[in-house]
Amino acid sequence: MSIVAPASSVDVAAVPLASRQDGRYPRPQVVRRDWVDLSGPWSFRHDDEDAGADAGWAAGVPSPRSITVPFPPESAASGIGDPGFHPVVWYSRTIGHDELVQAGHGADRPRVLLHFGAVDHRARVWIDGRFVGEHEGGHTPFTFDVTALLAETPDGAGHLLVVRAEDDPDDVTQPRGKQDWHEEAHAIWYRRTTGIWQPVWLEAVPTTAIDALRWTPASPASTALSVRFRGRVPAGARLRVALRFDERDEDLGTTEWDATASRPTLEVTVPVARQRNGQAEDELTWSPETPRLVDAVLTLVDASGAVLDVVASYLGMRSVGVGGGRFLLNRQPYPVRSVLDQAFWPESHLAAPHPLAHRQEVELIKALGFNAARMHQKIEDPRFLYWADRLGLMVWGEAPAAYEFSPTAVRRLTAEWTAAVERDASHPSIVTWVPFNESWGIQHVVSDPAQQAYARALVDLTRALDPSRPVIGNDGWEQQDTDVVTIHDYEGDGAVLADTYRDDAARTRALEGLAPSGHPQFVGGAVDRGQPVMLTEFGGVRYQAAGRRTEGWGYTAAVDGDDWVARITALYDGVRASTFLAGSCWTQLTDTMQETNGLLHADRTPKVPIEQIRRAVTGS
């Protein structure tokens, strides 16, 4: 039974408002006051012969170089800048007493957690030569409780943290996305990102702590909350959730319930009292135009009312779905105008060059006239998703592909995708899931029943993990069970594009035969069920401004800036002429290595005044 009380019964000031962060905290929806970032200089060494484990490097890496974490060693920002094949690398740094204090370690928070945002692809960790644990999956986070290993400081010198990362460039069963398996970047693939590429940080927590949570909007008037605890929850403990709409300085009420349920997670509905009048529903809903966030403070108390743990979070009240051949946001048709973002920086590769780069990326995408971004072949840093939530940008969550179909590849992608969906499901900005792209990793899905079964299974698994969002079965072509039919078409003539997607007759022609790529649009007996249709890759026009290098690759090429803008405008006019397209995705946001078909240069500067690009994209 839920109890509703004024939000003032919980000290909202105990932790900072989660929706008003500076974008640095690595886990933006489970926020504590104290933590310490372990980014910066570490010791580093390649281990091309894979001899370090037998040689005892877990107790200290000999003859190291300095690397700047979290930048991958292939990147210039790391200070290493070696893009060659190095399948095994080692890192080390000392954790000092002052860092433990900064992380909040003390009598009220005696447990110390060591967090890794992402280490590509397999990581093993030691402290003072003692094995801590291991993790596989280059895009997803992992955490170790290292309290016992940090109980005493040896000789007052701090504790030695050592990480071994293994990322075999020849192993195409790894979910690698756009990371090239050739030593030199080729075609549409880019330099590799090996080892640590997202933050490493320490955080102290109470013995009984709030470990993870998940928000799932159930309607514009309520949301479902799942909570997982770390440690034994004592008898009589209760969890209080205080909601606050900071934009209007308004408390929305506190819900409290028994925290000792037998299940590891608690499924409850958190009502928002002010929403009972249906006319007021839209005042709290999230959209790109009104990215309203509701702050939450979660407080775990024991039977006497003493506080055991407190964290800050936030949620977005919104719904997404499909119906009537349209994408629906908050139950209304919403045209999706997206851009494909490789999220690759020339100086730091898949790692952002600095935390505020995530905010700048979102701001640029919106300034260009887009309301959505397709994060292509990359499970993006949660700090990017935070800014998408806060500033109002819809995001397509997409899995990085493996390039082989085998039991190992199936196991790896399934495990990593499951972890990614679980990590990101609370972000209101994510509006759809994309487990496959262009049959990468299922290259024979047209004829192979096993690959067809795998593709269907991962789509259904995604729906089981998160039934609140549409799932795109295999973006671009060769689709079976999909909530949105997606097409990739790099036609360079806007008039031809307009004819191809003009009306319902054109829709039938587009879906009955082969995709523009020459692949069948449907396989495995699937047919058009009236789903929304989106042109999820188009454009790709190559152009570089004067003074930039002239070589590069794109699907078509412009001769100068005026021609480039005219081509973009004509292609978007073709999309706007369609009576049935529910959305589109332009390829692509930035130039990326050998690809020069971005709207922006690789350094994020626009190729022509940004207003010209925006007019071409939006038509106004």
Side-chain angles (χ1 to χ4, degrees):
M1 176 69 69
S2 295
I3 303 170
V4 178
S8 57
S9 63
V10 173
D11 182 8
V12 177
V15 289
L17 289 178
S19 70
R20 292 293 181 265
Q21 301 171 56
D22 62 5
R24 297 180 182 274
Y25 190 77
R27 197 164 62 146
Q29 286 188 303
V30 186
V31 179
R32 287 188 170 84
R33 182 181 64 249
D34 302 314
W35 63 290
V36 61
D37 190 352
L38 299 183
S39 298
W42 289 48
S43 295
F44 175 83
R45 185 168 173 178
H46 292 121
D47 185 10
D48 293 350
E49 302 303 320
D50 194 13
D54 290 339
W57 292 10
V61 181
S63 305
R65 302 170 64 183
S66 178
I67 189 171
T68 301
V69 167
F71 304 122
E74 291 90 350
S75 72
S78 71
I80 303 296
D82 184 344
F85 279 178
H86 298 290
V88 179
V89 296
W90 290 76
Y91 300 80
S92 67
R93 62 110 63 204
T94 298
I95 300 173
H97 174 74
D98 289 347
E99 289 176 316
L100 292 175
V101 173
Q102 184 181 346
H105 188 219
D108 62 335
R109 283 198 272 170
R111 311 300 302 180
V112 181
L113 305 182
L114 175 62
H115 299 283
F116 291 83
V119 181
D120 201 352
H121 165 75
R122 184 182 298 108
R124 292 171 61 84
V125 180
W126 296 262
I127 291 179
D128 298 330
R130 297 168 64 186
F131 183 61
V132 175
E134 59 187 326
H135 176 265
E136 182 178 89
H139 289 76
T140 50
F142 54 101
T143 298
F144 301 121
D145 186 329
V146 294
T147 306
L149 298 174
L150 300 180
E152 296 181 3
T153 304
D155 303 323
H159 298 274
L160 183 65
L161 169 62
V162 174
V163 178
R164 176 190 182 273
E166 181 179 347
D167 187 16
D168 184 352
D170 291 324
D171 187 351
V172 291
T173 68
Q174 295 178 189
R176 60 191 312 120
K178 296 297 286 287
Q179 297 183 61
D180 209 325
W181 56 96
H182 293 181
E183 187 159 5
E184 296 297 326
H186 82 292
I188 59 171
W189 288 276
Y190 314 134
R191 291 288 190 201
R192 290 164 298 284
T193 288
T194 294
I196 299 171
W197 68 278
Q198 287 186 27
V200 184
W201 78 101
L202 284 176
E203 180 178 53
V205 301
T207 301
T208 301
I210 297 165
D211 187 47
L213 55 85
R214 176 170 170 179
W215 301 101
T216 305
S219 74
S222 66
T223 186
L225 171 63
S226 303
V227 181
R228 185 176 69 237
F229 300 105
R230 176 181 292 272
R232 186 183 66 84
V233 179
R238 301 190 66 81
L239 185 68
R240 299 172 184 160
V241 180
L243 299 182
R244 179 178 177 81
F245 187 33
D246 186 54
E247 183 178 306
R248 297 191 180 181
D249 192 25
E250 182 179 358
D251 292 337
L252 302 178
T254 297
T255 301
E256 180 178 306
W257 69 90
D258 181 8
T260 59
S262 58
R263 291 177 297 173
T265 61
L266 304 172
E267 295 288 349
V268 299
T269 297
V270 182
V272 181
R274 75 192 301 277
Q275 294 282 74
R276 290 174 181 166
N277 178 353
Q279 300 304 314
E281 285 184 355
D282 292 344
E283 294 180 8
L284 286 183
T285 52
W286 184 97
S287 72
E289 293 74 27
T290 58
R292 302 183 182 106
L293 299 176
V294 175
D295 280 288
V297 174
L298 283 72
T299 305
L300 180 65
V301 299
D302 66 16
S304 70
V307 173
L308 299 175
D309 192 20
V310 57
V311 300
S313 186
Y314 68 85
L315 61 143
M317 308 291 290
R318 65 102 186 92
S319 65
V320 293
V322 297
R326 299 295 173 184
F327 174 82
L328 305 179
L329 176 65
N330 298 321
R331 300 177 296 190
Q332 298 295 319
Y334 192 93
V336 176
R337 191 167 58 244
S338 184
V339 66
L340 189 144
D341 189 357
Q342 309 283 3
F344 184 101
W345 285 265
E347 69 271 38
S348 55
H349 297 193
L350 293 185
H354 51 83
L356 286 181
H358 297 299
R359 175 173 188 157
Q360 293 166 357
E361 193 93 331
V362 173
E363 290 174 333
L364 274 170
I365 292 169
K366 295 201 68 173
L368 289 165
F370 298 102
N371 58 28
R374 178 183 172 197
M375 307 312 296
H376 191 40
Q377 289 297 295
K378 179 186 182 186
I379 299 167
E380 186 53 291
D381 191 311
R383 296 171 297 176
F384 174 88
L385 299 177
Y386 164 72
W387 286 114
D389 294 339
R390 179 169 168 180
L391 300 178
L393 181 72
M394 298 188 300
V395 175
W396 302 357
E398 183 172 333
Y403 290 95
E404 177 180 291
F405 176 73
S406 66
T408 298
V410 169
R411 174 185 61 79
R412 285 176 165 173
L413 182 59
T414 301
E416 190 153 13
W417 184 237
T418 298
V421 172
E422 178 65 22
R423 189 198 75 174
D424 293 341
S426 290
H427 288 281
S429 57
I430 292 188
V431 296
T432 190
W433 298 116
V434 187
F436 290 105
N437 171 70
E438 292 184 346
S439 301
W440 293 355
I442 47 171
Q443 284 88 342
H444 302 294
V445 71
V446 173
S447 57
D448 186 348
Q451 295 188 25
Q452 292 176 4
Y454 173 38
R456 292 193 307 270
L458 199 56
V459 168
D460 274 340
L461 174 63
T462 306
R463 292 192 182 114
L465 295 170
D466 178 17
S468 73
R469 293 173 171 91
V471 181
I472 295 173
N474 181 19
D475 201 271
W477 57 65
E478 296 176 349
Q479 292 158 95
Q480 298 180 85
D481 185 9
T482 184
D483 295 323
V484 180
V485 178
T486 55
I487 301 173
H488 295 177
D489 189 344
Y490 286 103
E491 169 59 50
D493 188 321
V496 173
L497 203 67
D499 287 340
T500 303
Y501 302 101
R502 186 172 303 281
D503 51 25
D504 287 345
R507 183 187 192 278
T508 300
R509 289 193 298 271
L511 301 189
E512 282 185 346
L514 298 179
S517 61
H519 298 261
Q521 196 63 52
F522 292 108
V523 299
V527 296
D528 176 17
R529 295 184 284 104
Q531 303 103 309
V533 178
M534 293 192 189
L535 189 60
T536 52
E537 286 188 25
F538 81 112
V541 184
R542 176 170 65 88
Y543 168 66
Q544 290 192 310
R548 303 275 179 161
R549 66 184 180 91
T550 56
E551 73 273 13
W553 181 86
Y555 293 91
T556 60
V559 297
D560 57 30
D562 290 341
D563 180 41
W564 185 64
V565 172
R567 288 169 180 263
I568 297 171
T569 303
L571 290 170
Y572 264 105
D573 284 344
V575 170
R576 286 186 280 266
S578 174
T579 62
F580 69 87
L581 285 177
S584 64
C585 181
W586 180 268
T587 304
Q588 57 188 359
L589 180 64
T590 69
D591 289 353
T592 307
M593 294 200 68
Q594 65 273 21
E595 289 186 337
T596 54
N597 54 7
L599 297 173
L600 310 173
H601 294 291
D603 62 5
R604 273 56 178 176
T605 56
K607 296 182 176 180
V608 300
I610 204 164
E611 297 80 8
Q612 295 184 33
I613 303 174
R614 183 183 180 90
R615 282 195 297 270
V617 168
T618 64
S620 61

